[in-house]
Amino acid sequence: MNAPVLLAVAHGTSHPPGIATLHALLERVRELAPELPVELAFVDHEPPSVTGALRRFAAEGRPVATLPLLLTAASHSKGDIAGAVRIARDAGLVVSYGRPLGPDPLLLTALDDRVREAGASASTALVLASAGADDPDANAEIWRAARLFWEWRRAEAPVEVAYAGATRPSVTEAVDRLHRLGHDDVLVVPYFLAPGRLPGAVRRDALAAGARVAEVLGAHPSVARLVLERYAEAVGGSVLMNCDTCQYRSPWPGREKRVAQLQQPHTHPADAAAPPA
């Protein structure tokens, strides 16, 4: 009963099925660890905010392990959530901070199931479609995940990468490239935990480009297991996060001023009228 609260922090969405999917995922986590207190917070759109949740736990005197319910390390995990954790620590809360979910073999297992459910064969060319970020390091992680997934499947057909925004190639460009390379059967695999605006855009662009579309990862049991593994890392103090090429350490062209910046969360709508801690 003295275990730190597992506070999973998702991006958030105004799309109700997306919120329901995230709650379903955490319900699977609770089924795997019924003694563990599990809570959900959001970077944006949906309450509670990370700051609001951490303030409540501070008032209750409960230690917390905050986990980014995110597939890649980008601005939300490096800045928004990390900044909220820093502020909570400065206020005296006992809070550890875990790493994002990907890449990991458990995610590859979940991706493989979604691909199989969509009817893909060994000759089906895949496009791993992610959100895209204003962070070269985060965008590069998708290429790493795609390569790992290709090795995992041991199939001859390629696994390409696409982004829903912020950078290229787009879904349309990736599907078109595979068609021009002679791949008639193309499956776009959304690299998202839950449905929402960007996964919806990925689906529309894929279908318009003549490709099939798999389902999002969702409340897959392997994802739930991975959440618990990340929790164990955070509580045990064994988080090993590689950020050597992220824009907070490396002076990327046009982003030089971001190096060594203090991590700050952006304002969540639920915090707009809240008093300061």
Side-chain angles (χ1 to χ4, degrees):
M1 296 301 292
N2 295 322
V5 176
L6 191 168
L7 178 64
V9 182
H11 176 274
T13 175
S14 57
H15 188 54
I19 300 299
T21 298
L22 294 170
H23 280 292
L25 172 59
L26 289 194
E27 191 56 39
R28 280 193 178 272
V29 173
R30 295 185 184 99
E31 291 170 0
L32 292 173
E35 301 297 323
L36 185 65
V38 178
E39 302 283 349
L40 180 62
F42 301 92
V43 173
D44 213 342
H45 296 293
E46 183 79 3
S49 68
V50 190
T51 297
L54 291 175
R55 284 176 178 164
R56 175 164 64 88
F57 297 134
E60 297 170 356
R62 302 170 71 185
V64 183
T66 305
L67 303 181
L69 202 60
L70 305 166
L71 297 175
T72 61
S75 59
H76 293 316
S77 64
K78 295 174 182 176
D80 294 316
I81 306 173
V85 168
R86 176 186 61 80
I87 292 170
R89 284 173 173 166
D90 290 346
L93 178 64
V94 178
V95 52
S96 55
Y97 187 37
R99 59 176 169 142
L101 299 178
D104 189 273
L106 285 169
L107 281 183
L108 301 179
T109 298
L111 281 173
D112 196 42
D113 282 349
R114 296 297 181 242
V115 166
R116 292 174 186 273
E117 291 164 2
S121 68
S123 62
T124 302
L126 306 181
V127 176
L128 190 67
S130 179
D134 183 26
D135 184 337
D137 183 56
N139 292 327
E141 279 195 33
I142 308 304
W143 290 93
R144 181 184 179 203
R147 176 66 194 195
L148 290 171
F149 192 39
W150 183 81
E151 298 272 3
W152 186 268
R153 295 190 73 226
R154 305 175 71 87
E156 293 183 5
V159 180
E160 295 287 331
V161 163
Y163 304 93
T167 190
R168 297 173 62 188
S170 67
V171 171
T172 302
E173 290 169 334
V175 172
D176 180 65
R177 179 175 184 273
L178 287 170
H179 282 161
R180 286 187 286 109
L181 289 172
H183 297 281
D184 296 325
D185 183 19
V186 178
L187 177 70
V188 175
V189 186
Y191 196 47
F192 295 87
L193 284 177
R197 181 179 63 85
L198 291 179
V202 166
R203 174 171 291 274
R204 288 192 300 272
D205 290 347
L207 294 175
R212 297 184 292 127
V213 190
E215 295 297 326
V216 297
L217 289 165
H220 193 283
S222 291
V223 180
R225 286 177 54 200
L226 182 55
V227 170
L228 287 175
E229 287 192 6
R230 293 291 186 261
Y231 173 82
E233 287 179 356
V235 171
S238 59
V239 176
L240 302 174
M241 190 177 299
N242 175 17
C243 189
D244 291 342
T245 56
C246 81
Q247 57 191 351
Y248 296 106
R249 292 185 183 176
S250 301
W252 286 92
R255 300 177 174 89
E256 292 86 352
K257 293 183 179 180
R258 298 187 183 184
V259 174
Q261 277 189 336
L262 186 66
Q263 293 160 316
Q264 296 282 6
H266 76 261
T267 302
H268 188 288
D271 295 333

